[in-house]
Amino acid sequence: MKPLIWIFGIGVIAVLFRPTAVILGVGLLPALLTFLFDRTPEKFGVLCIGSLNLAGLYPVLMPLWTRGHTMENAMKALGDPNTGAVILGAAGVGCVIYFATPPIVSMVVRSRIAREIGEIEKRQGELVAYWGEALSEDAGFGNVTTAPALKHKPVKIPTRGR
């Protein structure tokens, strides 16, 4: 049922707003190709490339809507080489963002994890210095009672109502 609603809606728009539909049909080809070839279930490529592709149609559609919504103006706009450059340029920026973002995020996450590992190792070194080598995983648990911290006076832990 849902595809029929989409087809009906697109058909009504194409009939009522033919010049806009022609520009959208030609201009959104990069988004359509991305939709057809993006095999991920989330369709992030379509979202990224398609949204910037649609944004690239803004400079083409605004003059069409303000100066006369005719097929002649739509064909003039599509015949202008700058129109194709703007539309494909915006879709190209979407491609760059889509393909460049995962490696950048991966690099940031890796550096953050490396920093956290360094902090944990520093804290581990402080604990080993305080408690002795008995805490390191290579030393085992045989000499825990000889750890320097255990030579201090025991601390009484307060309990509630007991």
Side-chain angles (χ1 to χ4, degrees), residues 65-120:
W65 293 336
T66 57
R67 296 185 188 139
H69 194 252
T70 64
M71 283 301 291
E72 181 183 341
N73 287 342
M75 290 300 135
K76 268 189 213 175
L78 287 177
D80 186 10
N82 291 331
T83 299
V86 169
I87 293 170
L88 291 177
V93 170
C95 284
V96 168
I97 291 172
Y98 178 68
F99 289 112
T101 301
I104 291 171
V105 170
S106 175
M107 182 178 64
V108 168
V109 168
R110 266 190 258 137
S111 68
R112 182 177 175 194
I113 289 172
R115 187 182 71 237
E116 289 177 7
I117 288 173
E119 290 172 5
I120 290 170

